Amino acid sequence: MPVLRFSSIKREHQQALLKVARYAIEHYLSEQQRWQAEPEQYPTILQVQAASFVTLHKNAQLRGCIGSLEAYQALVQEVALHAYQAAFEDLRFAPLTLQELPLIHISISILSPSQALPPQLNEAALIARLRPNQDGLILAQGNKQAVFLPQVWQQLPNSNDFIQQLKRKGGWSLNSPVEKMRCFKFQVLEFGE
């Protein structure tokens, strides 16, 4: 399976994906059924399997965000699915309405494959391996998992806070040792309207 390189995704590809995301939302609002992108109708680069997140903002406030951490379908299908899910299935928010649609700003994050960090890292060693504003982080233990995209560094620029809030998001106590968790980092290509 070919690996998607961020440098291969040109401006026109980004614009095509943003149109796909918006169309997926508009289609559901007008037809009340989910639209499925057909990869063969798009450039080859958008047919490559890649993981992505679609984030919606309204008046600069989060309005929905859904994605996947592992590549399992064509990027264009990923974006269409996650745009629909971010608008209508993010349980933190009521489903998006037609009246809200003109106020919605869409951004897409395409994820690199995640890199497993050495096991049993303590927090200081984990922090030393993270590059603020560049690396996203996944923590996993048992059936719990939490992820922060690299964009979260903008709200949490302190490395300790970044890790503590990720633990909180995952349902762990703040003093839960990261040594007992599996840790992965990744990078993203982010673009938006």
Side-chain angles (χ1 to χ4, degrees):
M1 176 176 67
V3 174
L4 187 67
R5 299 196 186 289
F6 292 161
S7 60
S8 302
I9 302 175
K10 306 297 183 207
R11 182 89 178 125
E12 63 266 22
H13 302 133
Q14 295 175 15
Q15 292 303 313
L17 289 172
L18 288 165
K19 285 180 183 177
V20 162
R22 187 159 288 276
Y23 183 77
I25 295 168
E26 290 171 348
H27 184 270
Y28 186 79
L29 285 169
S30 65
E31 305 295 326
Q32 294 302 301
Q33 69 181 54
R34 193 164 68 83
W35 173 71
Q36 303 217 13
E38 297 179 22
E40 61 278 359
Q41 295 182 355
Y42 293 88
T44 306
I45 189 69
L46 302 184
Q47 297 176 34
V48 174
Q49 288 188 359
S52 72
F53 274 74
V54 175
T55 305
L56 308 179
H57 285 93
K58 176 182 162 187
N59 300 326
Q61 299 294 315
L62 181 66
R63 182 59 180 84
C65 182
I66 299 281
S68 63
L69 299 172
E70 298 294 328
Y72 67 95
Q73 63 182 338
L75 179 57
V76 69
Q77 291 173 307
E78 264 288 285
V79 167
L81 172 63
H82 297 318
Y84 161 79
Q85 291 175 324
F88 306 108
E89 295 184 351
D90 187 329
L91 299 177
R92 298 171 293 180
F93 303 96
L96 190 75
T97 65
L98 187 58
Q99 293 74 25
E100 291 179 287
L101 187 59
L103 306 173
I104 293 299
H105 170 81
I106 300 172
S107 64
I108 297 170
S109 297
I110 301 172
L111 281 63
S112 70
S114 59
Q115 308 155 322
L117 296 172
Q120 300 178 340
L121 287 177
N122 63 27
E123 274 190 41
L126 176 58
I127 287 169
R129 291 178 179 268
L130 292 177
R131 297 171 302 168
N133 300 307
Q134 293 182 48
D135 292 330
L137 181 62
I138 304 164
L139 298 179
Q141 182 184 34
N143 62 354
K144 291 182 181 179
Q145 179 173 285
V147 60
F148 273 164
L149 297 176
Q151 297 90 304
V152 175
W153 287 103
Q154 295 167 18
Q155 288 85 42
L156 298 168
N158 177 286
S159 299
N160 287 319
D161 293 343
F162 187 86
I163 292 170
Q164 294 301 314
Q165 292 306 313
L166 185 54
K167 284 189 210 176
R168 177 174 281 148
K169 181 182 179 187
W172 293 286
S173 70
L174 298 184
N175 60 359
S176 294
V178 294
E179 294 92 323
K180 295 185 178 182
M181 301 177 189
R182 294 182 319 282
C183 305
F184 306 85
K185 70 177 184 175
F186 61 94
Q187 295 75 47
V188 301
L189 171 64
E190 181 194 21
F191 50 92
E193 298 175 320

